[in-house]
Amino acid sequence: MASPGTIDTRGSDFARLAHRIADAGLLDRRPFYYAIRMTVAAVAYGGGWALFAWVGDSWWQLLVAAVLAVIFTQFGFLAHDLGHRQVFRTRRPSDAAGLILGNLAIGLGWGWWTTKHNKHHANPNHEDHDPDVSPAVIVWSEDQVARSTGLPRFIAKYQAFWFFPLLTLEAWHLHVASVKALFQPTAKRRGLELGALLVHFVLYFGAVFAVLPPVKALLFLVVHQGLFGVYLGCTFAPNHKGMPVLTKEDKLDFLRKQVLTSRNVRGSLFTDVALGQLNYQIEHHLFPNMPAPNLRKAQPIVERYCQEIGVDYLQTGLVESYGQALRHLHQVGAALR
């Protein structure tokens, strides 16, 4: 792949692609699709907790924890689509549904996450502007390794091996970050969001400890939140990790900035459902408000167009996407070995 800073940029390229996508009707809303998807998700959520209550004091609850981890992640995918206005055109219904699915149902702060995710979309894989590649624990570039200290520097040496174990803590990190963000001066809807998170945590921990004895309850929490974090991480890791990390030296137009830092994961309908259709990451980054079911239809249009204008377009299998990401992380830490 060519170095991002050496690629010629032409501002009109995205406009021509956008015309093709609009002419194909792929930016049109899909209300019937989302009505069905939300209904299925709500039934699954209620059914999962009903199963938890029915199983009761049993080691089978660890299997129920795994099932609920899948359901929680699917709720996260829906909240993601709401954040991009893929479901509703206006902010009010998007925010209302996002608070229910995010704060109340799975304990993730809607306002904090959408703000953070929008910054990521504006500057994907940019080490100065993308919060998803900030060197909090994992470091993403050799420059970040050189500047790292403390825990990130210790982890970076063999961070490819630490990556998946660390994902077991990701859900806990998101819960804590959601609460902490509401105590920042810039927080919006502080009372509403904090109240919804509080209701979630009271009901969640109350149900777990009311049904299960302490040891089983703690193991349930470890399995449920651990798998929730791993599933979320395994969904987002293939999208950008191992792709070029941009710096202030890279001057790219919108289309190249989004395409060259993103990776698609090819697969079947099962892959689309399992990954929340975020495996069409290039199309999603180019058209973030495109309804998720239209991304598959947009993919060949975008790929052909990138070939026409000479922009590298990367699509690979799921396992290989993880391989590329992990090899990148291992290479980044080489200087410390």
Side-chain angles (χ1 to χ4, degrees), residues 135-137 139 144-145 147-157 336:
V137 177
V139 292
Q144 288 182 346
V145 168
R147 299 193 304 267
S148 65
T149 58
L151 181 61
R153 190 170 183 84
F154 172 78
I155 294 291
K157 190 173 183 179
L336 300 179

Side-chain angles (χ1 to χ4, degrees), residues 41-60:
V43 170
Y45 188 88
W49 283 113
L51 179 63
F52 173 82
W54 179 73
V55 172
D57 183 1
S58 169
W59 289 108
W60 286 105

Side-chain angles (χ1 to χ4, degrees), residues 160-298:
F161 300 96
W162 282 102
F163 184 71
F164 286 106
L166 286 171
L167 287 182
T168 62
L169 303 176
E170 179 63 14
W172 296 109
H173 161 69
L174 294 173
H175 294 312
V176 172
S178 297
V179 175
K180 287 176 61 178
L182 291 173
F183 290 93
Q184 298 299 316
T186 56
K188 299 179 180 179
R189 300 186 302 265
R190 181 180 289 111
L192 180 60
E193 291 220 25
L194 193 59
L197 285 174
L198 181 62
V199 170
H200 169 80
F201 293 133
V202 168
L203 292 177
Y204 176 74
F205 289 111
V208 171
F209 283 96
V211 171
L212 298 176
V215 172
K216 289 179 182 175
L218 290 174
L219 285 173
F220 178 93
L221 294 175
V222 167
V223 172
H224 178 231
Q225 295 295 328
L227 291 179
F228 181 24
V230 169
Y231 189 179
L232 281 174
C234 286
T235 299
F236 289 97
N239 299 337
H240 302 281
K241 310 314 178 192
M243 299 302 290
V245 176
L246 305 181
T247 69
K248 60 184 179 181
E249 305 301 325
D250 298 308
K251 308 299 182 182
L252 301 177
D253 67 341
F254 176 79
L255 182 143
R256 287 165 178 80
K257 180 167 62 174
Q258 303 299 337
V259 174
L260 295 176
T261 60
S262 303
R263 178 196 294 110
N264 273 17
V265 175
R266 71 172 65 91
S268 62
L269 180 60
F270 174 81
T271 305
D272 292 358
V273 173
L275 298 182
Q277 297 168 102
L278 295 174
N279 45 314
Y280 303 104
Q281 190 67 193
I282 294 173
E283 289 70 34
H284 170 58
H285 261 258
L286 288 170
F287 304 98
N289 64 338
M290 179 185 291
N294 291 349
L295 293 171
R296 170 183 279 271
K297 300 176 183 178

Side-chain angles (χ1 to χ4, degrees), residues 23-24 34 51 71 122-123 126 223 276 288 329 331:
D23 289 345
Y34 277 108
L51 179 63
I71 295 170
N123 291 284
H126 195 294
V223 172
L329 291 178
Q331 181 180 353

Side-chain angles (χ1 to χ4, degrees), residues 61-127:
Q61 289 287 19
L62 300 184
L63 182 59
V64 177
V67 172
L68 282 170
V70 173
I71 295 170
F72 270 45
T73 305
Q74 290 292 327
F75 264 61
F77 295 156
L78 277 170
H80 168 272
D81 291 2
L82 285 161
H84 284 296
R85 308 278 183 88
Q86 295 177 19
V87 185
F88 304 108
R89 291 185 181 276
T90 57
R91 178 182 297 274
R92 181 170 294 182
S94 299
D95 286 349
L99 284 168
I100 294 171
L101 269 64
N103 295 52
L104 194 59
I106 61 177
L108 299 185
W110 166 255
W112 163 75
W113 184 84
T114 52
T115 299
K116 170 180 173 291
H117 193 61
N118 287 337
K119 290 179 180 178
H120 158 71
H121 267 265
N123 291 284
N125 262 28
H126 195 294
E127 64 178 17

